Amino acid sequence: MSALITTAPSNTAPAAPELVHRRGRWIDGWDPENQAQWKAVGRRIAARNLRWSIFAEFLGFVVWQLWSIVVVSLPAAGFAFDTAQTFWLISIPSLVGATLRFPYTFMVPKVGGRNWTIVSAALLLLPAIGLAMCVANPETPFGVMLLVAALAGFGGGNFASSMANITYFYPQREKGWALGLNAAGGNLGAAVAQLIVPIVVTIGAGVTLQLPLAGWVWVPLILIAVAGAALRMDNLSHAKADFAASVAAFREPHLWLLSFLYLGTFGSFIGFAGVFPKLLADQFPEFSGIHLGATTLQLAFLGALCGSLARPYGGRLADRFGGATITMIAFGVMAATTVTLILTLPSLGFWGFLGLFLVLFATSGIGNGSTYRMIPTVFAWRAGAADAHRSSGDIGTQRKAAAALGIIAAIGAYGGFLIPQVLGLSKSATGGYGAGLSWFVVAYALMLAVTAVVYVRGGRRSGTRL
């Protein structure tokens, strides 16, 4: 009888592993791959953290791009900076932000995702308040303005830590969607900054008195993000820094090739987003008056908006047709569009100029999604080709690909510095932007060739769609 009792089948589903909540909103025992835990409590906790992560990253992009729109109004506010100084104010936030993405990636496992979101969001107060104070006084020295503009790079670093944090919360089967939402929410901050600031500075007593609001208006939202992170986000004790995988990723030749391609896609998006208001104001000064209506400042946001909204479609097209194919097509369209801009620049009207740049933004956004989608696929392809030479001590493909995603995202962000600098040099040397745009055509053609030869052709030879 005892034997019959012990062999009776049980229909009871396994209980979800218990989560332990410790002081400081630390969670032990997190395992999103465990279906029972995920359905019971995991999904709800992850979604709550994702919402506040998106909000904080969104504000990071807002602050990162503030100077791109503010510089257009500086002459009307009494500032007299030359072309080189103006383009340094536009580009220095991207230089600092791209560099900060490297250490920011490792801060989440070091101090906790919630804790670092509090710190990184609070740091946004420095560039926001600093901008407001600087532009209130036309006597502010250029060196001080440049330092405060550099502080806006804190916003650019936020992307890396935010993406790293959300990676730990979601199971592998849902990472793509969660990270896509996180990235898109952040990228939209660039468009919103360029939409809201012109409206703020045109309400009231004129640009000289209203321009400081370009910084002050974001302070309450930053404080809300800090409070929200403190009260609603969590730290995961299982999040660990994978330095070994990062070192291994740096040794992969494809890391550098993919970084080169991402510099052309995301770098173009963030670089042109930063410089677009200045380009419109210089090419069409009759549209740059500070008043409500069809002004340069109020239309500049359309570029960043198109690029942001196009990014998810790049990933979706890559899923269907292959990331390398879509990336190659994107570079072809970007090169052709830029050539058209150069050839028609002297006579092209405002709406034609705007339309061509919106095509460039949308295509760069599609390229962002497709190139980023290529990274894990290329690393898996590389691992398959090297199986015969692999040693038991090699770092796993998934670990290297995960590390590569952060490194490539950081390198790509340097485009936000390079594109304004190239265009600024072109403007100073020739009085126009045609020469600078021609260099981009050469770069896009080279990137197209690399994609076609290494990834489209190479993938076909091995029977793999990259």
Side-chain angles (χ1 to χ4, degrees):
M1 185 171 182
S2 174
L4 291 174
I5 295 175
T6 57
T7 57
S10 173
N11 295 322
T12 304
E18 184 179 355
L19 296 179
V20 178
H21 296 264
R22 293 189 283 115
R23 185 177 179 180
R25 297 191 68 91
W26 284 92
I27 296 179
D28 298 331
W30 183 265
D31 182 9
E33 302 297 342
N34 183 285
Q35 292 273 10
Q37 184 190 94
W38 181 250
K39 291 179 180 178
V41 293
R43 184 185 297 277
R44 175 172 48 83
I45 293 173
R48 171 164 43 79
N49 280 269
L50 176 61
R51 286 192 294 270
W52 285 101
S53 175
I54 290 174
F55 185 52
E57 189 196 338
F58 165 81
L59 291 173
F61 265 81
V62 165
V63 170
W64 201 22
Q65 291 299 304
L66 280 182
W67 284 91
S68 71
I69 194 72
V70 166
V71 294
V72 182
S73 299
L74 290 180
F79 292 87
F81 296 137
D82 61 30
T83 298
Q85 290 174 322
T86 299
F87 278 93
W88 268 102
L89 291 176
I90 293 172
S91 61
I92 194 67
S94 288
L95 177 63
V96 175
T99 305
L100 286 178
R101 286 188 173 192
F102 292 104
Y104 268 49
T105 299
F106 297 103
M107 293 309 297
V108 170
K110 188 75 174 177
V111 303
R114 164 197 177 259
N115 295 346
W116 184 246
T117 304
I118 295 170
V119 173
S120 61
L123 286 173
L124 299 178
L125 292 170
L126 296 178
I129 296 173
L131 181 149
M133 296 176 68
C134 283
V135 300
N137 180 12
E139 301 300 320
T140 303
F142 173 72
V144 175
M145 297 280 280
L146 188 65
L147 175 62
V148 173
L151 294 177
F154 285 139
N158 276 14
F159 178 86
S161 56
S162 180
M163 295 290 276
N165 185 39
I166 294 305
T167 297
Y168 294 117
F169 274 96
Y170 278 83
Q172 194 66 34
R173 63 187 178 278
E174 296 188 30
K175 282 187 194 295
W177 176 246
L179 292 175
L181 287 176
N182 203 48
N187 287 356
L188 283 172
V192 171
Q194 294 180 352
L195 172 65
I196 298 299
V197 169
I199 295 174
V200 170
V201 301
T202 55
I203 298 174
V207 66
T208 303
L209 295 178
Q210 296 300 110
L211 194 54
L213 288 178
W216 289 120
V217 70
W218 307 107
V219 171
L221 296 177
I222 293 171
L223 293 175
I224 291 173
V226 172
L231 298 174
R232 302 292 292 166
M233 292 187 72
D234 302 286
N235 301 306
L236 300 179
S237 59
H238 86 288
K240 303 296 181 184
D242 200 344
F243 293 103
S246 297
V247 172
F250 270 115
R251 295 172 179 165
E252 286 285 350
H254 287 285
L255 172 90
W256 303 104
L257 289 177
L258 290 168
S259 295
F260 178 58
L261 301 184
Y262 200 61
L263 187 65
T265 55
F266 179 77
S268 292
F269 163 74
I270 199 65
F272 283 126
V275 82
F276 193 44
K278 176 65 174 170
L279 292 181
L280 283 174
D282 285 353
Q283 292 297 124
F284 306 97
E286 67 272 21
F287 285 91
S288 61
I290 306 299
H291 62 274
L292 291 176
T295 69
T296 295
L297 290 179
Q298 290 171 320
L299 292 175
F301 83 97
L302 291 174
L305 180 65
C306 283
S308 300
L309 295 180
R311 178 169 183 155
Y313 292 99
R316 181 168 292 182
L317 288 170
D319 287 338
R320 183 171 181 181
F321 301 106
T325 299
I326 300 303
T327 299
M328 182 181 66
I329 294 172
F331 282 130
V333 175
M334 291 167 72
T337 304
T338 308
V339 169
T340 305
L341 275 167
I342 295 170
L343 295 176
T344 59
L345 201 55
S347 58
L348 191 63
F350 175 81
W351 296 108
F353 184 86
L354 177 64
L356 283 175
F357 254 101
L358 293 186
V359 172
L360 190 58
F361 272 108
T363 311
S364 70
I366 289 172
N368 288 348
S370 61
T371 308
Y372 213 64
R373 176 67 181 83
M374 286 173 63
I375 298 171
T377 307
V378 167
F379 271 75
W381 171 60
R382 162 76 172 167
D387 272 345
H389 307 286
R390 187 174 305 282
S391 70
S392 59
D394 280 348
I395 301 295
T397 301
Q398 275 197 351
R399 289 173 60 192
K400 280 195 289 189
L405 287 168
I407 296 169
I408 292 170
I411 295 174
Y414 282 107
F417 172 76
L418 293 174
I419 285 182
Q421 284 296 307
V422 169
L423 291 175
L425 289 172
S426 176
K427 179 71 172 177
S428 298
T430 68
Y433 295 112
L437 290 171
S438 66
W439 281 104
F440 300 146
V441 174
V442 174
Y444 295 148
L446 182 57
M447 292 165 179
L448 186 155
V450 170
T451 309
V453 173
V454 178
Y455 297 116
V456 175
R457 186 179 176 185
R460 285 174 181 171
R461 281 181 172 179
S462 63
T464 305
R465 190 176 69 181
L466 299 178

